Amino acid sequence: MLKITILYGAIREGRLSIRAARAIDKALRDSGKADVTFIDVKDYDLPLMENRLKDMKDPLPDVVKVGKMIEDADGLIFVTPEYNNSYSGPLKNTVDYYTKEWGKKPIGIVCGSNGKQGGINASNLLQLLVLAIGAFPMPRKLLVPELDKSLDEEGKPLNETMANNLDKFVKEYLWFAEAIVNQKKKDQ
Ligand SMILES: Cc1cc2nc3c(=O)[nH]c(=O)nc-3n(C[C@H](O)[C@H](O)[C@H](O)COP(=O)(O)O)c2cc1C
């Protein structure tokens, strides 16, 4: 089983992108190939980052806890809404705390918006962020346009295109993550 952590980075009351995070969570669990951990940044005390965890003298317990969850994961999926053509501030704030925890991890990108473009701008910038932290962004991304029409509150796809895109993304992510994990095992 792959240990996959979902990092969901919106904290707005009434956030619709939680639907995308729930969709990916369920699809990964249903695959039978992943142990899934869900980090909802709203549930953790992660104040505006002043220093990276490695440089903190007395880090907050949640900063340490989230770092351990990232470190323990074989791979991660970042889920974010598009805000002002980019990913969310809380997601970036969380990412910036950590360094070696990200090392060579396979990262899938899921973006959503309530417009027609499904967070394409955020997704492109998020790939660059993943490169900056020394991890591997999967080329295929999952974009969720019109969040309230594409997924129900539990994350169930409401049309065939959404269902197909979710299925393709999860299958490809599992392939991608497994390939990287297997290579790391050979290196040990
Ligand atoms: C600060 C802010 C900026 C936004 N900027 C964009 C944007 O650049 N492009 C877009 O398609 N939607 C944008 N939206 C709308 C979001 O797509 C919409 O809120 C959607 O429901 C996803 O965000 P949520 O998870 O916070 O609900 C923005 C929303 C907020 C709150």
Side-chain angles (χ1 to χ4, degrees), residues 9 13 28 47 51 55 63 70 72 77 95 97 140-141 153 155 162-164 167 170 181 184-185:
E13 200 184 328
L28 280 171
N51 260 317
D55 300 321
V63 174
I70 295 166
D72 286 348
I77 303 214
V95 168
Y97 271 111
R140 176 187 286 275
K141 302 169 281 189
E153 281 184 22
M162 190 65 243
N164 286 339
D167 187 54
V170 167
V181 166
K184 284 182 181 166
K185 279 186 197 149

Side-chain angles (χ1 to χ4, degrees), residues 8 10 12 14-18 81-86 112-115 119 147:
Y8 172 55
R12 192 178 71 82
R15 56 199 181 159
L16 285 172
S17 52
I18 186 78
E82 178 165 304
Y83 289 160
N84 296 324
N85 283 354
S86 187
S113 80
N114 227 13
L147 272 159

Side-chain angles (χ1 to χ4, degrees), residues 106-126:
I107 302 203
I109 289 170
V110 178
C111 295
S113 80
N114 227 13
K116 301 243 185 245
Q117 296 194 37
I120 180 84
N121 299 306
S123 75
N124 290 332
L125 294 172
L126 200 42

Side-chain angles (χ1 to χ4, degrees), residues 100-184:
K100 65 173 175 32
E101 291 84 351
W102 300 117
K104 292 188 172 169
K105 298 260 163 100
I107 302 203
I109 289 170
V110 178
C111 295
S113 80
N114 227 13
K116 301 243 185 245
Q117 296 194 37
I120 180 84
N121 299 306
S123 75
N124 290 332
L125 294 172
L126 200 42
Q127 286 197 320
L128 293 176
L129 177 64
V130 171
L131 292 173
I133 57 177
F136 300 125
M138 183 169 80
R140 176 187 286 275
K141 302 169 281 189
L142 180 65
L143 302 179
V144 186
E146 300 182 305
L147 272 159
D148 59 345
K149 295 198 191 92
S150 298
L151 298 167
D152 74 9
E153 281 184 22
E154 301 311 312
K156 187 167 163 267
L158 293 173
N159 61 63
E160 208 180 336
T161 306
M162 190 65 243
N164 286 339
N165 287 346
L166 176 62
D167 187 54
K168 278 187 202 155
F169 176 84
V170 167
K171 285 197 175 113
E172 189 151 327
Y173 179 74
L174 290 169
W175 182 94
F176 181 72
E178 206 176 314
I180 291 170
V181 166
N182 285 342
Q183 183 59 40
K184 284 182 181 166

